[in-house]
Amino acid sequence: MSDIQTRFEALGCRATAEQLDDIVALATKKRWGTKDLLMYVADIEEKDRACRGLERRKRASKLQKFRPLADFDWNWPKKIDRPLVESVAALDFFESARNVVIISPPGLGKTMIAQNIVHQAVLAGHTALFITATEMLLDLGAQQTPRALENRLRRYARIGVLVIDEVGFVPFDSRNADLLFQVVSRRYEKRSIVVTSNLAFADWNTIFPNAACATALIERLIHHSDIITIEGESYRARESSAEASKRRAARRSSASPAKPRA
């Protein structure tokens, strides 16, 4: 690497450092003046930083492979507010720091919707995190000192869009309920939380059976929130049944005796 490339690298102009020879060749070929050359360098640096920022946000979101909302079968649920789902998927709740609570039995797409919200937030330039309630509470509970816990709580408070998946799949003791309350309180009316749950609010007492903060937690979560309720039979169960039927048909077809030749 030449001295000038090293200096560009040190200044954080990675794209310019990597493409310097090509940039010089192109500028010579097109007979650019100083202003044209600087504009070109500025353009490639902006594009490079945008790409690197997008990759950083993708990694930080912890979003794994997911199905796009375009694949959602809107005709399958018995009840779903499609305009509201499409609105939250477009981040219409974000600027006003509204929360989103998605409630449905398993297999009806609530996690899929939440994943699409995270993906859209990342594309829009916001920080986002997709994490299950259990993972988040294990992370918080593993902090060894009050200072470490405070730092981790601040981290969860700063994220642009925080998605907490699977609230209600396992009950939380008072300690975990208090930790969740801390996260919700620190984000209250400042930054959005998206929560998915398999339980209606009336049954949330089973999630926090002995927690004194349960009522306050729920109130903060549902105040200024868009609540999406989905009803119906499991879509995954339907897919599994259809795949099983195909396999049975394939086995019957392969087991059928071949017809004798004429």
Side-chain angles (χ1 to χ4, degrees):
M1 184 178 288
S2 68
D3 180 60
I4 190 169
Q5 285 177 308
T6 302
R7 294 177 70 178
F8 273 124
E9 183 77 23
L11 289 168
C13 301
R14 300 180 184 179
T16 302
E18 292 171 358
Q19 304 175 43
L20 186 59
D21 291 340
D22 292 336
I23 293 170
V24 171
L26 185 62
T28 302
K29 179 181 178 180
K30 292 183 174 291
R31 298 181 180 180
W32 282 342
T34 304
K35 184 177 180 180
D36 292 329
L37 175 59
L38 292 175
M39 286 294 293
Y40 183 79
V41 168
D43 285 344
I44 64 171
E45 285 298 329
E46 284 181 351
K47 291 176 183 177
D48 179 67
R49 292 185 185 193
C51 288
R52 286 190 282 116
L54 177 60
E55 289 304 314
R56 282 196 302 271
R57 293 193 301 277
K58 283 182 178 179
R59 289 193 300 270
S61 74
K62 300 188 181 300
L63 188 62
Q64 302 298 317
K65 184 178 179 181
F66 68 99
R67 296 174 66 179
L69 201 59
D71 292 346
F72 194 90
D73 186 352
W74 299 101
N75 295 318
W76 178 251
K78 294 179 180 178
K79 174 185 176 183
I80 187 169
D81 188 338
R82 180 172 180 173
L84 180 55
V85 172
E86 291 177 335
S87 173
V88 300
L91 305 183
D92 291 345
F93 64 92
F94 181 80
E95 291 299 330
S96 57
R98 294 179 62 81
N99 296 328
V100 178
V101 183
I102 309 173
I103 298 174
S104 83
L108 280 171
K110 58 183 176 294
T111 294
M112 176 183 176
I113 295 169
Q115 289 170 328
N116 275 270
I117 292 173
V118 170
H119 180 63
Q120 190 59 40
V122 167
L123 293 180
H126 308 301
T127 57
L129 176 64
F130 181 89
I131 190 168
T132 67
T134 300
E135 289 171 337
M136 186 182 75
L137 293 173
L138 283 173
D139 177 41
L140 290 170
Q143 305 309 306
Q144 298 296 316
T145 65
R147 183 171 183 176
L149 176 59
E150 176 63 23
N151 288 337
R152 195 53 58 94
L153 285 167
R154 288 178 180 176
R155 174 178 174 266
Y156 284 115
R158 286 194 302 265
I159 295 166
V161 176
L162 175 63
V163 171
I164 307 175
D165 195 34
E166 299 181 351
V167 173
F169 280 72
V170 295
F172 300 136
D173 60 20
S174 296
R175 166 66 170 163
N176 282 319
D178 288 342
L179 290 173
L180 182 58
F181 177 74
Q182 284 288 326
V183 173
V184 171
S185 294
R186 290 174 186 233
R187 297 181 65 87
Y188 179 60
E189 295 186 326
K190 298 183 181 73
R191 291 183 176 86
S192 299
I193 299 177
V194 179
V195 168
T196 74
S197 179
N198 61 321
L199 296 176
F201 286 120
D203 298 320
W204 274 37
N205 62 312
T206 63
I207 306 175
F208 318 105
N210 301 307
C213 66
T215 301
L217 189 159
I218 295 170
E219 286 179 348
R220 281 170 173 76
L221 191 61
I222 65 175
H223 189 214
H224 312 308
S225 69
D226 294 315
I227 299 173
I228 298 170
T229 302
I230 309 173
E231 296 177 2
E233 302 298 324
S234 171
Y235 186 81
R236 286 196 296 268
R238 184 187 75 166
E239 283 190 329
S240 178
S241 177
E243 290 171 0
S245 297
K246 288 181 182 179
R247 289 194 296 271
R248 286 194 297 270
R251 286 195 295 269
R252 286 196 297 268
S253 177
S254 62
S256 299
K259 293 181 179 180
R261 295 182 179 179

